């Protein structure tokens, strides 16, 4: 009779009570890991605060993928150049890394786009003219010209 009067233990409750700190620690580790991945900066994250007109011009430039329309575009070429200069570094996450964007209207259909990438080894300046009607891209310095050539002639 005494055995019948004892309330039955809730096995699930006891199981969770013993292991709750382990589960909380596991959840905390997952949250911390996900936060690091989600807050990782990329080249695009430097251009978040620009006007709609500037977004159109920058989009034409960055998505230009040459006459053969390969999958490789100006954005890929610029990122590759920066990654070549800073191998095995997460340079975009460095708080001292700065990317300055200057888009100037030359005339009704043409804009000058200057991207100045500054990091601890120095700066890299890209300079193009973009025609928003014809989508023609012209380089204004040797580095920018090499980026366009790389895009135009990639297989």
């Amino acid at each position: 009779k005494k055995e019948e009067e004892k309330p039955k233990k809730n096995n699930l409750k006891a199981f969770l009570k013993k292991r709750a700190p382990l589960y909380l620690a596991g959840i905390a580790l997952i949250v911390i890991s996900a936060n690091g991945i989600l807050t990782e900066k990329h080249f695009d994250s430097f251009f978040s605060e620009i006007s709609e007109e500037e977004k159109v011009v920058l989009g034409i430039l960055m998505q230009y993928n040459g006459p053969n329309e390969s999958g490789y575009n100006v954005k890929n070429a610029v990122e590759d150049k920066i990654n070549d200069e800073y191998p095995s570094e997460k340079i975009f996450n460095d708080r001292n890394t700065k990317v300055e964007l200057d888009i100037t209207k030359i005339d009704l259909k043409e804009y000058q786009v200057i991207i100045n990438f500054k990091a601890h080894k120095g700066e890299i300046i890209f300079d193009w003219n973009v025609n928003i009607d014809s989508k023609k891209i012209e380089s204004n310095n040797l580095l920018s010209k090499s980026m366009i050539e790389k895009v135009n002639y990639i297989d």
Side-chain angles (χ1 to χ4, degrees):
K1 288 183 179 182
K2 288 183 183 180
E3 289 177 19
E4 289 178 15
E5 290 177 9
K6 280 187 179 178
K8 291 186 178 181
K9 277 191 172 179
N10 188 344
N11 290 334
L12 179 61
K13 200 174 195 180
F15 177 80
L16 289 176
K17 200 174 214 180
K18 285 182 182 178
R19 289 159 184 83
L22 295 175
Y23 291 130
L24 287 174
I27 291 170
L29 285 174
I30 291 170
V31 168
I32 290 169
S33 299
N35 186 36
I37 293 169
L38 294 175
T39 59
E40 189 172 307
K41 288 174 91 175
H42 299 283
F43 184 62
D44 290 338
S45 62
F46 289 97
F47 307 124
S48 60
E49 297 178 15
I50 61 176
S51 72
E52 289 302 315
E53 183 180 24
E54 291 173 330
K55 284 180 185 177
V56 169
V57 174
L58 188 63
I60 291 170
L61 173 64
M62 290 295 149
Q63 297 307 315
Y64 175 75
N65 58 1
N68 300 330
E69 295 187 6
S70 66
Y72 195 75
N73 57 31
V74 170
K75 179 183 166 213
N76 300 133
V78 169
E79 287 176 336
D80 288 349
K81 175 63 178 169
I82 292 168
N83 288 329
D84 288 347
E85 292 290 322
Y86 299 91
S88 69
E89 290 183 49
K90 291 189 173 187
I91 195 65
F92 298 116
N93 286 336
D94 188 337
R95 65 183 177 92
N96 294 322
T97 298
K98 306 256 185 286
V99 179
E100 295 173 357
L101 175 67
D102 183 28
I103 300 177
T104 308
K105 193 172 194 173
I106 296 172
D107 61 31
L108 222 50
K109 305 293 180 192
E110 195 164 348
Y111 294 80
Q112 181 180 23
V113 178
I114 299 173
I115 299 172
N116 189 357
F117 178 85
K118 296 178 181 180
H120 61 84
K121 287 184 183 177
E123 62 184 359
I124 304 170
I125 299 173
F126 304 95
D127 186 357
W128 296 277
N129 284 355
V130 178
N131 186 309
I132 59 172
D133 273 355
S134 66
K135 312 262 193 278
K136 184 178 177 188
I137 313 292
E138 291 180 12
S139 306
N140 295 328
N141 65 10
L142 288 175
L143 179 60
S144 301
K145 184 177 182 179
S146 71
M147 298 293 104
I148 296 297
E149 288 176 355
K150 189 173 182 180
V151 169
N152 285 341
Y153 300 112
I154 197 148
D155 290 338

